[in-house]
Amino acid sequence: MMSSKFDRAALDAMLPGLRPKLHRYAARMAGSVIDGEDIVQETALKALQAIDGNAAVDRPEQWLFRIAHNAAQDH
C-alpha cells in the first residue's frame, strides 16, 4: 500500500476547510463556543508540532479529530 507523505504544507492546506467542523466538535465536547475555540487552537498547535517532529499520519482528518478529542478532555 502506497501512502503519500502528509507534511506541513498539506496540513496548512487542510486546516482552514476543516476548522468549522473541528470547532463544532470541540465546542460540543467542552460545552462552550469559547472553550471550543481554545481547543481548536490547541489542536492546530499540537498538530503542527507533531508534523514538524515527523509524525507519520495515514488518515489526516481522523488524526486531527483525535488530537481535538484529547485536547478537549485535557481542557
Side-chain angles (χ1 to χ4, degrees):
M1 180 169 135
M2 189 172 195
S3 65
S4 61
K5 176 137 170 71
F6 187 71
D7 58 8
R8 190 176 185 125
L11 180 61
D12 288 344
M14 184 178 166
L15 272 175
L18 198 54
R19 193 176 197 298
K21 199 172 169 183
L22 277 169
H23 183 258
R24 279 191 301 274
Y25 179 75
R28 282 187 187 147
M29 284 199 67
S32 163
V33 172
I34 294 169
D35 288 340
E37 180 63 32
D38 291 342
I39 292 165
V40 169
Q41 290 179 17
E42 186 176 340
T43 299
L45 178 63
K46 286 181 177 184
L48 287 167
Q49 289 172 338
I51 288 296
D52 288 345
N54 295 320
V57 179
D58 291 328
R59 297 181 306 179
E61 187 171 334
Q62 290 86 350
W63 177 71
L64 282 170
F65 274 90
R66 174 52 59 188
I67 294 171
H69 181 86
N70 291 341
Q73 287 184 326
D74 292 344
H75 192 74

